[in-house]
């Protein structure tokens, strides 16, 4: 793609120099000298000139078109799903969810191995979103019932910022995510641990309260089937932010979310759930155990 950019730049520069030189020449040659205005020779209907300024631009544009289409074929992921994707990324109002081939489902943070080109399928659960991790991949719209594919690749380990880039409702601005790129072994180890976790790993009493109050929408392990309603809370304590980046992940903000989610992120799909102060404290303790 860089080569295409350079090519376009060089051609555009040549065209600019030719046009600018013509303008400067005309200015100097035909400028008015004193009061006597001499009109230059007027030419109408020169077939040679007409052909010249039609054929040359047409040839340039056609050439650039062919080169660009070729570059698109090289850099774009195949859109026909002939190869199973390495991860499926789904946009929701207003959060992202990732599904791996071994059944692990996690929201917000997208874990990937470094130095490998991954085929990612982009989907939407509701309205049109746009997946955008500027350092790692091109933008791609997430359109309901019309999955699309992109290549996702990180050369060096690290956390890469991403966001939704298509207006999708009131909290569009807070639909951020991180792509966490890890060396292959670390990533595989993480994936294995997540795949092994079962709901039984949850601590007894608080876990039961969680299932009763929150379990209809939220899972706590990455293996569980997505409810399609709320994001899984697996690994909650490893996240930097809550609600797509709107709040930092602190105990106070978690408590705010438990007490009044609509105040924390107006319009989000989580209803205010009636909870006693004691239940809120117990749930907060339970949430803080989700690593
Ligand atoms: Cu999703 Cu904007």
């Amino acid at each position: 793609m860089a080569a295409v950019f350079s090519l376009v730049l060089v051609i555009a520069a040549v065209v600019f120099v030719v046009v600018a030189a013509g303008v400067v020449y005309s200015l100097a040659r035909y400028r008015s000298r004193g009061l006597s205005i001499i009109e230059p020779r007027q030419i109408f209907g020169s077939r040679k000139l007409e052909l010249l300024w039609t054929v040359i631009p047409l040839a340039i544009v056609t050439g650039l078109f062919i080169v660009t289409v070729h570059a698109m074929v090289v850099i774009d992921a195949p859109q026909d799903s002939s190869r199973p994707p390495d991860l499926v990324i789904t946009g929701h109002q207003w959060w992202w969810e990732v599904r791996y081939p071994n059944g692990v489902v996690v929201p917000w943070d997208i874990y990937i191995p470094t130095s490998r080109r991954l085929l990612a399928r982009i989907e939407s659960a509701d309205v049109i979103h746009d997946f955008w991790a500027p350092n790692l991949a091109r933008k791609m719209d997430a359109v309901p019932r019309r999955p699309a594919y992109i290549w996702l690749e990180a050369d060096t380990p690290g956390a890469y910022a991403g966001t939704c880039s298509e207006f999708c409702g009131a909290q569009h601005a807070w639909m951020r995510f991180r792509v966490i790129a890890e060396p292959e072994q670390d990533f595989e180890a993480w994936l294995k641990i997540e795949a092994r976790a079962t709901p039984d790993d949850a601590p007894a009493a608080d876990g039961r309260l969680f299932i009763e109050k929150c379990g209809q929408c939220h899972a706590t392990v990455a293996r569980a089937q997505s409810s399609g309603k709320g994001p899984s809370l697996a690994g909650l304590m490893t996240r930097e932010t809550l609600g797509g980046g709107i709040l930092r992940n602190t105990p106070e903000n978690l408590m705010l979310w438990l007490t009044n989610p609509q105040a924390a992120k107006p319009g989000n799909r989580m209803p205010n759930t009636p909870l006693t102060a004691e239940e809120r404290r117990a749930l907060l303790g339970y949430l803080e155990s989700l690593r």
Side-chain angles (χ1 to χ4, degrees):
M1 210 60 209
V4 175
F5 174 79
S6 307
L7 180 69
V8 173
L9 188 70
V10 168
I11 293 176
V14 169
V15 170
F16 174 79
V17 168
V18 169
V19 172
V23 170
V24 169
Y25 173 78
S26 304
L27 278 176
R29 175 81 175 72
Y30 300 111
R31 74 182 190 279
S32 123
R33 292 177 180 81
L35 288 175
S36 64
I37 295 166
I38 314 157
E39 209 169 68
R41 194 159 60 89
Q42 303 295 304
I43 305 166
F44 293 101
S46 159
R47 176 165 297 174
K48 213 157 73 180
L49 271 179
E50 298 272 4
L51 272 176
L52 213 61
W53 68 51
T54 306
V55 169
I56 292 178
L58 195 67
I60 293 176
V61 170
T62 309
L64 288 181
F65 176 76
I66 292 168
V67 173
T68 306
V69 167
H70 174 72
M72 285 167 72
V73 170
V74 172
I75 62 169
D76 271 353
Q79 298 294 311
D80 59 0
S81 69
S82 53
R83 179 189 136 176
D86 298 301
L87 62 171
V88 177
I89 300 169
T90 307
H92 296 258
Q93 279 175 318
W94 289 279
W95 51 286
W96 296 93
E97 184 175 61
V98 202
R99 207 158 63 236
Y100 297 90
N102 69 349
V104 164
V105 180
V106 286
W108 309 126
D109 285 343
I110 299 172
Y111 285 83
I112 60 167
T114 50
S115 309
R116 187 146 69 82
R117 197 156 76 146
L118 302 159
L119 184 63
R121 182 156 84 187
I122 309 295
E123 296 182 350
S124 168
D126 35 49
V127 300
I128 299 178
H129 303 276
D130 189 286
F131 179 85
W132 191 33
N135 289 327
L136 306 180
R138 57 165 290 181
K139 278 184 184 181
M140 182 52 83
D141 271 4
V143 181
R145 292 181 299 280
R146 278 208 60 188
Y149 294 82
I150 53 168
W151 294 119
L152 197 59
E153 187 173 13
D155 291 335
T156 44
Y160 299 88
T163 189
C164 179
S165 159
E166 175 73 42
F167 182 70
C168 55
Q171 296 292 351
H172 154 70
W174 295 112
M175 202 172 151
R176 304 211 175 147
F177 60 91
R178 292 190 303 173
V179 178
I180 303 202
E182 293 180 326
E184 183 89 40
Q185 317 90 283
D186 295 2
F187 169 78
E188 292 298 339
W190 170 83
L191 199 58
K192 239 184 231 144
I193 291 170
E194 296 297 327
R196 266 207 308 271
T198 66
D200 302 329
D201 295 350
D206 297 349
R208 275 202 300 276
L209 180 64
F210 179 88
I211 290 164
E212 183 197 328
K213 298 289 183 187
C214 323
Q216 277 205 356
C217 302
H218 296 287
T220 55
V221 290
R223 261 282 300 293
Q225 267 299 316
S226 172
S227 67
K229 293 180 187 162
S232 158
L233 300 176
L236 179 65
M237 286 302 119
T238 63
R239 291 181 214 156
E240 232 173 35
T241 59
L242 304 171
I246 198 166
L247 294 171
R248 294 207 66 74
N249 188 1
T250 63
E252 296 75 42
N253 285 336
L254 260 180
M255 191 48 116
L256 170 67
W257 198 285
L258 276 172
T259 314
N260 191 347
Q262 289 304 319
K265 189 177 185 180
N268 88 77
R269 294 293 167 84
M270 176 161 162
N272 286 349
T273 311
L275 296 166
T276 65
E278 198 179 322
E279 284 170 337
R280 281 200 295 271
R281 264 197 306 279
L283 286 173
L284 181 65
Y286 176 69
L287 292 176
E288 287 180 320
S289 73
L290 299 173
R291 282 168 202 284

